[in-house]
Amino acid sequence: MTEDKIDLIGLSLEEISETLINKGLIQSKEKFRSKQLWHWLYFRGETDFDKMTTVSKDLRKKLKDHFVIQRPKIKSHQISKDRTQKWLLELNDGNLIETVFIPEENRGTLCVSSQVGCTLNCKFCFTGTQKLVRNLTSSEIISQLLLAKDNLSDWPNGKDRKISNIVFMGMGEPLYNYENVKNAAEIMGDKEGIQLSTKRITLSTSGIVPEIIKWGNEVDSRLAISLHATNDELRNDIVPINKKFPLKDLIKACREYPRSKNSKRITFEYVMLKGVNDTAQDARKLVKLISGIPAKINLIPFNPWPNSPYECSSKEEIKKFSDIIKNAGYASPVRKTRGQDIMAACGQLKSSSIKIRKSELRANG
Ligand code: SAH
Ligand code: SF4
């Protein structure tokens, strides 16, 4: 029965060693055996103990008795006309999450979820309207990558890998699931396993200041801040967590962020909302607000969803906005909207909408 068995995915190498020793499967001088197992799990992506040929037959049998290597179930898989792919995944408890793969010319980015839904209610974000919320386990976070690699035939990890970048920009606020996201990010960057460069792992947050500081001290990755407004009044309205962590504190944390140098500049994300935050004055205020921070500003065209309360700024407004930022010396790429035809674009993920609609119907009699 799988229920009594331990899920191997999501444990650190150290934890695997400890567990194997505690269960009497290996001796403490045999830690190299857990390294071999690690190599199968995270370098080769093997899910079948019987195929782990460098592990002795005896140990393979014992591993099967005590552990499982699980992948979430694929509920649906959609491919957009621009080749963006979206997987709707069913977790063990029936909850659903989404993972998106965005292929580009010189890289492939996987956008992973950190929670089922999100407790924060940013006004422009579809995920924020989802009622069901829970944190994902480390296993559920890292499994999104493993499953996508299975599907894209991206094993073993070589130079020409299809998934080269990870962004924590799927469903949820990653810093409200700090430990599990940290464990998953560390496994993604591990030099003996998945071997992703930490420069290619980006954590995106709506601005949970104490955790930003902690993350900066503990984890090596890139940081993206969902800024979206340059004054507290507007940010309180569209990113309500700002009431708890106002701009002054957020910008201070960014200024002091230990890795905001050179190749690890902070990215400020700014969603372009027509008539809300998109004037030339807003652009100038933005430049002033972040002056001195090694940064790039990512302008995201607003992606609409059913009955969303906003419209996207016009192309001309976005160009004007971006020019002001560029003239101030910042890189200011406008993010290409990808996968919109399959609702896979930024802020459009809301996987259990169908379930909620059903229960709402029931509630309404
Ligand atoms: N919760 C984290 C990460 C997930 S959201 C965060 O807020 O940063 C990833 C990015 O998509 C964020 O910058 C978010 O503000 C943005 N976003 C949300 N809804 C959007 C929408 N409808 N259109 C464009 N971007 C959106
Ligand atoms: Fe949550 Fe991020 Fe959406 Fe805000 S933008 S509701 S923090 S997922």
Short mmCIF file of all heavy atoms in Angstrom, two decimals, residues 296-328:
data_model
loop_
_atom_site.label_atom_id
_atom_site.label_comp_id
_atom_site.label_asym_id
_atom_site.label_seq_id
_atom_site.Cartn_x
_atom_site.Cartn_y
_atom_site.Cartn_z
N LYS A 296 16.02 45.31 -13.40
CA LYS A 296 15.38 45.44 -14.71
C LYS A 296 13.88 45.47 -14.48
O LYS A 296 13.39 44.97 -13.46
CB LYS A 296 15.85 44.31 -15.62
CG LYS A 296 14.96 43.20 -15.83
CD LYS A 296 15.56 42.23 -16.85
CE LYS A 296 14.67 41.01 -16.86
NZ LYS A 296 15.23 39.83 -17.42
N ILE A 297 13.18 46.12 -15.38
CA ILE A 297 11.74 46.28 -15.19
C ILE A 297 11.03 45.51 -16.29
O ILE A 297 11.29 45.72 -17.48
CB ILE A 297 11.35 47.77 -15.23
CG1 ILE A 297 12.02 48.48 -14.06
CG2 ILE A 297 9.83 47.92 -15.16
CD1 ILE A 297 12.15 49.96 -14.24
N ASN A 298 10.18 44.59 -15.86
CA ASN A 298 9.47 43.75 -16.81
C ASN A 298 8.04 44.24 -16.93
O ASN A 298 7.27 44.14 -15.97
CB ASN A 298 9.50 42.32 -16.25
CG ASN A 298 9.63 41.30 -17.32
OD1 ASN A 298 9.13 41.50 -18.43
ND2 ASN A 298 10.27 40.20 -16.99
N LEU A 299 7.70 44.81 -18.08
CA LEU A 299 6.32 45.29 -18.25
C LEU A 299 5.47 44.13 -18.76
O LEU A 299 5.79 43.50 -19.76
CB LEU A 299 6.29 46.44 -19.25
CG LEU A 299 7.10 47.67 -18.84
CD1 LEU A 299 6.99 48.77 -19.89
CD2 LEU A 299 6.66 48.20 -17.47
N ILE A 300 4.40 43.83 -18.03
CA ILE A 300 3.53 42.70 -18.41
C ILE A 300 2.21 43.26 -18.92
O ILE A 300 1.48 43.89 -18.16
CB ILE A 300 3.21 41.78 -17.20
CG1 ILE A 300 4.43 41.54 -16.31
CG2 ILE A 300 2.62 40.47 -17.67
CD1 ILE A 300 4.11 40.71 -15.06
N PRO A 301 1.91 43.03 -20.20
CA PRO A 301 0.57 43.43 -20.66
C PRO A 301 -0.47 42.68 -19.83
O PRO A 301 -0.32 41.48 -19.61
CB PRO A 301 0.54 42.97 -22.12
CG PRO A 301 1.97 42.74 -22.50
CD PRO A 301 2.69 42.37 -21.24
N PHE A 302 -1.47 43.39 -19.35
CA PHE A 302 -2.51 42.72 -18.55
C PHE A 302 -3.18 41.63 -19.37
O PHE A 302 -3.58 41.86 -20.51
CB PHE A 302 -3.55 43.75 -18.09
CG PHE A 302 -4.77 43.13 -17.47
CD1 PHE A 302 -4.67 42.43 -16.28
CD2 PHE A 302 -6.00 43.21 -18.10
CE1 PHE A 302 -5.79 41.83 -15.71
CE2 PHE A 302 -7.12 42.60 -17.54
CZ PHE A 302 -7.02 41.92 -16.35
N ASN A 303 -3.28 40.45 -18.79
CA ASN A 303 -3.97 39.34 -19.45
C ASN A 303 -5.38 39.22 -18.90
O ASN A 303 -5.54 38.92 -17.71
CB ASN A 303 -3.21 38.02 -19.22
CG ASN A 303 -1.86 38.04 -19.90
OD1 ASN A 303 -1.76 38.30 -21.09
ND2 ASN A 303 -0.81 37.79 -19.13
N PRO A 304 -6.37 39.44 -19.73
CA PRO A 304 -7.74 39.42 -19.21
C PRO A 304 -8.22 38.00 -18.91
O PRO A 304 -7.68 37.03 -19.44
CB PRO A 304 -8.56 40.03 -20.36
CG PRO A 304 -7.73 39.86 -21.58
CD PRO A 304 -6.29 39.76 -21.16
N TRP A 305 -9.19 37.90 -18.05
CA TRP A 305 -9.85 36.63 -17.74
C TRP A 305 -11.35 36.91 -17.66
O TRP A 305 -11.75 38.09 -17.67
CB TRP A 305 -9.29 36.02 -16.45
CG TRP A 305 -8.83 37.00 -15.40
CD1 TRP A 305 -7.59 37.57 -15.32
CD2 TRP A 305 -9.59 37.53 -14.29
NE1 TRP A 305 -7.53 38.41 -14.23
CE2 TRP A 305 -8.74 38.40 -13.57
CE3 TRP A 305 -10.89 37.34 -13.83
CZ2 TRP A 305 -9.15 39.09 -12.43
CZ3 TRP A 305 -11.29 38.02 -12.68
CH2 TRP A 305 -10.42 38.88 -12.00
N PRO A 306 -12.19 35.88 -17.59
CA PRO A 306 -13.63 36.13 -17.64
C PRO A 306 -14.07 37.15 -16.59
O PRO A 306 -13.77 36.99 -15.40
CB PRO A 306 -14.25 34.75 -17.35
CG PRO A 306 -13.18 33.77 -17.72
CD PRO A 306 -11.87 34.45 -17.49
N ASN A 307 -14.72 38.19 -17.01
CA ASN A 307 -15.23 39.27 -16.14
C ASN A 307 -14.14 40.01 -15.36
O ASN A 307 -14.38 40.53 -14.28
CB ASN A 307 -16.25 38.74 -15.13
CG ASN A 307 -17.43 38.10 -15.82
OD1 ASN A 307 -17.89 38.60 -16.85
ND2 ASN A 307 -17.91 36.98 -15.30
N SER A 308 -12.93 40.05 -15.89
CA SER A 308 -11.86 40.78 -15.16
C SER A 308 -12.17 42.28 -15.18
O SER A 308 -12.73 42.80 -16.14
CB SER A 308 -10.50 40.49 -15.77
OG SER A 308 -10.51 40.67 -17.16
N PRO A 309 -11.80 42.96 -14.08
CA PRO A 309 -12.22 44.36 -13.94
C PRO A 309 -11.33 45.36 -14.69
O PRO A 309 -11.56 46.56 -14.56
CB PRO A 309 -12.12 44.58 -12.43
CG PRO A 309 -11.08 43.62 -11.96
CD PRO A 309 -11.13 42.45 -12.89
N TYR A 310 -10.33 44.91 -15.40
CA TYR A 310 -9.40 45.84 -16.05
C TYR A 310 -9.25 45.55 -17.54
O TYR A 310 -9.60 44.47 -18.01
CB TYR A 310 -8.01 45.74 -15.40
CG TYR A 310 -8.00 46.15 -13.96
CD1 TYR A 310 -7.82 45.18 -12.96
CD2 TYR A 310 -8.17 47.47 -13.58
CE1 TYR A 310 -7.81 45.54 -11.62
CE2 TYR A 310 -8.16 47.84 -12.24
CZ TYR A 310 -7.99 46.87 -11.27
OH TYR A 310 -7.99 47.23 -9.96
N GLU A 311 -8.65 46.53 -18.20
CA GLU A 311 -8.23 46.32 -19.60
C GLU A 311 -6.74 46.54 -19.67
O GLU A 311 -6.15 47.24 -18.83
CB GLU A 311 -8.89 47.37 -20.49
CG GLU A 311 -10.32 47.07 -20.86
CD GLU A 311 -10.89 48.22 -21.67
OE1 GLU A 311 -10.38 48.48 -22.79
OE2 GLU A 311 -11.81 48.88 -21.16
N CYS A 312 -6.14 46.00 -20.73
CA CYS A 312 -4.71 46.21 -20.91
C CYS A 312 -4.47 47.59 -21.53
O CYS A 312 -5.25 48.04 -22.37
CB CYS A 312 -4.16 45.12 -21.83
SG CYS A 312 -2.39 45.24 -22.05
N SER A 313 -3.38 48.23 -21.12
CA SER A 313 -3.02 49.52 -21.72
C SER A 313 -2.79 49.34 -23.22
O SER A 313 -2.45 48.25 -23.68
CB SER A 313 -1.72 50.02 -21.10
OG SER A 313 -1.79 49.93 -19.70
N SER A 314 -2.92 50.44 -23.95
CA SER A 314 -2.72 50.35 -25.40
C SER A 314 -1.23 50.16 -25.70
O SER A 314 -0.37 50.46 -24.87
CB SER A 314 -3.20 51.64 -26.06
OG SER A 314 -2.35 52.71 -25.67
N LYS A 315 -0.96 49.68 -26.91
CA LYS A 315 0.43 49.48 -27.34
C LYS A 315 1.23 50.77 -27.23
O LYS A 315 2.38 50.78 -26.81
CB LYS A 315 0.47 49.01 -28.80
CG LYS A 315 0.40 47.53 -28.95
CD LYS A 315 1.02 47.10 -30.29
CE LYS A 315 0.96 45.60 -30.43
NZ LYS A 315 0.13 45.14 -31.52
N GLU A 316 0.58 51.88 -27.60
CA GLU A 316 1.27 53.19 -27.59
C GLU A 316 1.65 53.57 -26.15
O GLU A 316 2.75 54.03 -25.90
CB GLU A 316 0.39 54.29 -28.18
CG GLU A 316 0.02 54.12 -29.66
CD GLU A 316 -0.99 53.01 -29.90
OE1 GLU A 316 -2.01 52.96 -29.18
OE2 GLU A 316 -0.76 52.16 -30.79
N GLU A 317 0.71 53.38 -25.23
CA GLU A 317 0.99 53.73 -23.83
C GLU A 317 2.15 52.87 -23.30
O GLU A 317 3.03 53.36 -22.60
CB GLU A 317 -0.25 53.51 -22.95
CG GLU A 317 -1.38 54.50 -23.16
CD GLU A 317 -1.00 55.93 -22.81
OE1 GLU A 317 -0.04 56.15 -22.05
OE2 GLU A 317 -1.66 56.85 -23.34
N ILE A 318 2.11 51.59 -23.64
CA ILE A 318 3.16 50.68 -23.15
C ILE A 318 4.50 51.11 -23.72
O ILE A 318 5.51 51.17 -23.01
CB ILE A 318 2.84 49.20 -23.51
CG1 ILE A 318 1.54 48.76 -22.82
CG2 ILE A 318 4.00 48.29 -23.11
CD1 ILE A 318 1.11 47.33 -23.10
N LYS A 319 4.51 51.49 -25.00
CA LYS A 319 5.78 51.91 -25.65
C LYS A 319 6.30 53.18 -24.97
O LYS A 319 7.49 53.30 -24.66
CB LYS A 319 5.49 52.12 -27.14
CG LYS A 319 6.54 52.84 -27.94
CD LYS A 319 7.46 51.83 -28.63
CE LYS A 319 8.52 52.43 -29.54
NZ LYS A 319 9.37 53.46 -29.00
N LYS A 320 5.39 54.12 -24.73
CA LYS A 320 5.78 55.39 -24.10
C LYS A 320 6.39 55.12 -22.70
O LYS A 320 7.42 55.65 -22.33
CB LYS A 320 4.54 56.28 -23.93
CG LYS A 320 4.74 57.70 -24.47
CD LYS A 320 3.65 58.64 -24.00
CE LYS A 320 2.32 58.48 -24.72
NZ LYS A 320 1.20 59.19 -24.09
N PHE A 321 5.71 54.26 -21.98
CA PHE A 321 6.11 53.90 -20.61
C PHE A 321 7.50 53.25 -20.65
O PHE A 321 8.41 53.63 -19.90
CB PHE A 321 5.08 52.91 -20.06
CG PHE A 321 5.05 52.80 -18.56
CD1 PHE A 321 4.11 53.49 -17.82
CD2 PHE A 321 5.95 51.98 -17.88
CE1 PHE A 321 4.06 53.37 -16.44
CE2 PHE A 321 5.92 51.85 -16.51
CZ PHE A 321 4.96 52.55 -15.77
N SER A 322 7.64 52.32 -21.57
CA SER A 322 8.90 51.58 -21.67
C SER A 322 10.06 52.50 -22.10
O SER A 322 11.18 52.37 -21.61
CB SER A 322 8.66 50.43 -22.64
OG SER A 322 9.82 50.08 -23.30
N ASP A 323 9.78 53.46 -22.98
CA ASP A 323 10.83 54.39 -23.43
C ASP A 323 11.36 55.23 -22.27
O ASP A 323 12.56 55.48 -22.17
CB ASP A 323 10.30 55.31 -24.54
CG ASP A 323 10.21 54.55 -25.86
OD1 ASP A 323 10.79 53.44 -25.95
OD2 ASP A 323 9.54 55.06 -26.80
N ILE A 324 10.46 55.66 -21.42
CA ILE A 324 10.89 56.49 -20.27
C ILE A 324 11.84 55.68 -19.38
O ILE A 324 12.87 56.16 -18.92
CB ILE A 324 9.66 56.98 -19.46
CG1 ILE A 324 8.86 57.95 -20.32
CG2 ILE A 324 10.09 57.62 -18.14
CD1 ILE A 324 7.54 58.39 -19.73
N ILE A 325 11.49 54.42 -19.18
CA ILE A 325 12.32 53.56 -18.33
C ILE A 325 13.67 53.29 -18.99
O ILE A 325 14.73 53.35 -18.34
CB ILE A 325 11.57 52.24 -18.03
CG1 ILE A 325 10.35 52.55 -17.16
CG2 ILE A 325 12.47 51.26 -17.31
CD1 ILE A 325 9.38 51.43 -17.08
N LYS A 326 13.63 53.02 -20.29
CA LYS A 326 14.89 52.77 -21.02
C LYS A 326 15.78 54.00 -20.98
O LYS A 326 16.99 53.90 -20.77
CB LYS A 326 14.59 52.40 -22.47
CG LYS A 326 14.28 50.94 -22.64
CD LYS A 326 14.17 50.60 -24.11
CE LYS A 326 13.33 49.35 -24.28
NZ LYS A 326 12.53 49.34 -25.49
N ASN A 327 15.18 55.17 -21.17
CA ASN A 327 15.98 56.41 -21.15
C ASN A 327 16.63 56.65 -19.80
O ASN A 327 17.65 57.32 -19.71
CB ASN A 327 15.11 57.62 -21.52
CG ASN A 327 14.80 57.60 -23.00
OD1 ASN A 327 15.52 56.95 -23.77
ND2 ASN A 327 13.74 58.28 -23.41
N ALA A 328 16.04 56.08 -18.77
CA ALA A 328 16.63 56.23 -17.43
C ALA A 328 17.72 55.19 -17.21
O ALA A 328 18.30 55.11 -16.13
CB ALA A 328 15.54 56.10 -16.38
#
